[in-house]
Amino acid sequence: MTSLNSANFLLNLVHFNREIAIRVFRAATEMGIRTVAIYSEQDKQQMHRLKSDESYMVGKGLPPVAAYLNIPEIIHIAQENNVDAVHPGYGFLSERSDFAQSCVDAGIRFIGPSPEAIRRMGDKVEARQAAIDAGVQVVPGSPGPVKDVQEALEFCETYGLPVIFKAAYGGGGRGMRKVTTIEEVPEAFERATSESEAAFGNGALFLEKFIERPRHIEVQILGDKYGNVSHLYERDCSVQRRHQKVIEVAPAPMLPTEIRDQMTRDAVRLAKHVGYENAGTVEFLLSESGKYYFIEVNARLQVEHTVTEEITGVDLVTSQIRICEGHSLPEIGASQHLIYPNGCAIQCRMTTEDPAKNFQPDTGRIEVFRSGEGMGIRLDSASAYAGAIISPYYDSLLVKIIAHARNHERACFKMNRALKEFRIRGVKTNAPFLMNVLKHPKFMSGVVDTYFIDENPGLFN
Ligand code: ADP
């Protein structure tokens, strides 16, 4: 076992968002590991550069997103600078098995699952099959990609409407389309295929029965190199806009104990079945009737990992690094019997989007920045300070605000109080919208489904 220590470097790669780079650098620095950042030409002034021990420009002359996707150059930078391990954060390369493989081939450790596990889990059809093989209930769906409109129509006739078209290689809530009438099928098929082709470079689609009014509940897992897997309880990510998460809660409020027990057991069984190593998330939809179904595995750290850290006290990034070094779960204090939830944590994704203009991204210079702070509040960000330039190049996440309290209701009050303390001038943010959600009686009650935002237009006022 070779530990990463001060003689080693950890290169962190960032795409679209640099807050996770800083999150990772913090963990590495606490562990005595030196850090190396890469940055695009447009990101020269960004904070993640300053939070690393060394930094190198990648993709000179390329547009910003392309710069961070330039695998050969990233590997070259890592080799030139004696980088021992790469943490992919979240974002494009974090789920690219060819990138993980390139790291392995270059003799650099990839802090995440094996390239093969990333490939299998990134293919939603294959991941579904793995779940079935592990005895985990999946949403009724097509056994593989649907070839043409005819096959899609046949599926709808067999399973009934509504159905959802999904990109086999999709992510981030894109490439999905709900279909409620048979007449919509041909157009939905064409559109979803071309959207998936454009967004993911592959138009393959599969179909699932659409689950009405589901709650999105996901289980955090950690696996080591020796076949041990622990779960770190669940997160409720039902507050979504266009299938994208806005607010996440851990543990899921009012979740019956038997459902929690079964779901976490299923997640662990699936992870063991595929020999999953490192951190990952198993996602489920919970129907109104209390049945739940597997939808996918995310083979990386999630944006919302923070709420799990708050309730369990486990640093997930440190755990990822230790696992990559070859430590077992018992050695890093992550055996199942040592993990239990404490209180409730809520994360709000504050974005530079204007709720009054249909969440159009806003750009510019932050002129004034005062944050909400105090007991039980954690802020993870990369560009939340006066003087920061908010560019149009990446996604619009400004700061993740995490509130931890003894129960859900108190966490709501705490979050609302923190949000009220924020003063941001120069760019518009979704803060008013977040506050409306936080004080909504339904959200406060703990149980909301994925329809919540769409059904409450008042949240936008
Ligand atoms: P992505 O990988 O793009 O995040 P997911 O498969 O995780 O896609 O789904 C994202 C969200 O889309 C879910 O949380 C849920 O709100 C909705 N969704 C996905 N599949 C279904 C389904 N079969 N029925 C109803 N809603 C669904």
Side-chain angles (χ1 to χ4, degrees):
M1 184 184 311
T2 351
S3 294
L4 298 165
N5 54 42
S6 55
N8 304 101
F9 292 99
L10 172 84
L11 177 76
N12 185 260
L13 306 169
V14 218
H15 325 285
F16 308 109
N17 218 296
R18 294 131 300 186
E19 67 86 13
I20 198 64
I22 294 176
R23 165 74 193 89
V24 171
F25 293 159
R26 284 181 171 144
T29 304
E30 286 170 20
M31 295 168 80
I33 301 169
R34 288 178 61 80
T35 57
V36 177
I38 51 169
Y39 60 94
S40 70
E41 204 170 352
Q42 295 77 4
D43 275 357
K44 230 184 238 170
Q45 309 297 340
Q46 288 296 330
M47 188 59 89
H48 79 279
R49 241 193 106 182
L50 306 176
K51 298 269 185 195
S52 63
D53 295 308
E54 290 179 22
S55 60
Y56 299 95
M57 188 189 286
V58 68
K60 196 168 176 10
L62 288 178
V65 173
Y68 288 121
L69 294 177
N70 191 343
I71 296 178
E73 194 185 343
I74 291 168
I75 298 288
H76 179 72
I77 291 174
Q79 286 179 318
E80 285 279 287
N81 297 289
N82 302 316
V83 165
D84 299 293
V86 165
H87 191 296
Y90 54 73
F92 266 20
L93 288 186
S94 65
E95 288 185 281
R96 289 257 306 261
S97 60
D98 57 338
F99 177 59
Q101 190 62 55
S102 301
C103 291
V104 173
D105 293 345
I108 300 162
R109 280 184 276 182
F110 180 83
I111 303 171
S114 67
E116 174 58 8
I118 296 175
R119 190 196 61 71
R120 276 185 85 186
M121 295 302 112
D123 177 338
K124 292 191 181 199
V125 173
E126 216 173 300
R128 270 173 62 89
Q129 191 54 49
I132 295 167
D133 295 344
V136 176
Q137 178 78 48
V138 300
V139 185
S142 56
V146 282
K147 281 198 309 292
D148 50 29
V149 176
Q150 191 50 38
E151 231 181 76
L153 286 167
E154 280 162 21
F155 178 89
C156 298
E157 270 152 29
T158 313
Y159 289 93
L161 293 159
V163 300
I164 184 163
F165 283 73
K166 283 191 174 184
Y169 300 95
R174 288 174 306 160
M176 268 184 287
R177 206 159 265 271
K178 178 184 175 185
V179 171
T180 45
T181 65
I182 208 83
E183 291 72 39
E184 291 168 58
V185 172
E187 197 195 321
F189 182 86
E190 299 305 334
R191 281 215 183 181
T193 304
S194 54
E195 270 173 25
S196 309
E197 180 76 56
F200 312 111
N202 189 318
L205 295 181
F206 69 105
L207 276 108
E208 273 179 4
K209 182 96 184 105
F210 187 86
I211 308 295
E212 302 278 11
R213 310 202 75 92
R215 289 174 75 184
H216 173 118
I217 300 188
E218 56 183 37
V219 178
Q220 175 70 51
I221 49 161
L222 278 178
D224 65 17
K225 292 184 194 296
Y226 315 101
N228 302 306
V229 178
S230 294
H231 72 80
L232 290 91
Y233 293 87
E234 78 288 347
R235 299 182 282 258
D236 186 330
C237 312
S238 303
V239 180
Q240 299 181 354
R241 210 182 131 257
R242 302 196 176 137
H243 304 307
Q244 288 175 8
K245 300 161 187 166
V246 181
I247 296 180
E248 298 97 343
V249 182
M254 322 275 285
L255 187 68
T257 308
E258 63 274 16
I259 295 183
R260 170 173 296 125
D261 289 349
Q262 283 172 21
M263 209 182 245
T264 50
R265 262 204 303 271
D266 278 357
V268 169
R269 201 167 61 247
L270 171 56
K272 285 190 171 169
H273 177 76
V274 298
Y276 195 89
E277 184 194 319
N278 218 284
T281 298
V282 184
E283 298 191 336
F284 298 97
L285 293 182
L286 173 65
S287 76
E288 275 181 301
S289 65
K291 275 197 177 160
Y292 66 85
Y293 306 92
F294 165 89
I295 46 170
E296 67 165 345
V297 173
N298 281 318
R300 56 172 168 79
L301 199 65
Q302 305 257 97
V303 181
E304 61 272 23
H305 74 279
T306 54
V307 287
T308 300
E309 294 184 323
E310 292 306 310
I311 60 156
T312 61
V314 174
D315 182 319
L316 283 167
V317 178
T318 303
S319 306
Q320 287 188 295
I321 298 172
R322 287 287 179 236
I323 288 169
C324 178
E325 288 174 334
H327 292 283
S328 67
L329 294 187
E331 280 171 348
I332 63 169
S335 300
Q336 193 65 67
H337 70 279
L338 296 175
I339 299 168
Y340 45 88
N342 174 22
C344 170
I346 301 178
Q347 172 177 279
C348 284
R349 302 186 188 198
M350 191 188 277
T351 58
T352 46
E353 293 172 324
D354 186 353
K357 289 192 186 148
N358 199 22
F359 290 88
Q360 205 174 297
D362 198 14
T363 56
R365 184 176 188 276
I366 299 183
E367 300 297 344
V368 172
F369 184 86
R370 283 209 309 278
S371 59
E373 292 163 12
M375 183 186 170
I377 294 294
R378 163 178 171 182
L379 305 178
D380 278 25
S381 80
S383 48
Y385 54 92
I389 306 291
I390 305 303
S391 77
Y393 303 128
Y394 307 100
D395 86 1
S396 48
L397 182 61
L398 178 67
V399 51
K400 302 193 303 201
I401 307 153
I402 303 101
H404 184 207
R406 297 184 78 171
N407 58 40
H408 179 69
E409 192 184 36
R410 287 197 208 180
C412 289
F413 289 141
K414 190 179 280 292
M415 179 66 87
N416 218 352
R417 187 271 298 158
L419 286 167
K420 275 196 210 139
E421 285 181 29
F422 272 86
R423 286 289 174 281
I424 299 174
R425 305 221 194 291
V427 286
K428 290 273 189 301
T429 75
N430 66 345
F433 168 77
L434 295 172
M435 282 192 273
N436 286 342
V437 174
L438 261 296
K439 56 184 188 237
H440 194 284
K442 192 140 196 235
F443 182 81
M444 296 260 309
S445 80
V447 180
V448 293
D449 57 42
T450 61
Y451 292 20
F452 174 64
I453 290 183
D454 285 342
E455 285 182 347
N456 288 284
L459 297 170
F460 299 97
N461 297 329

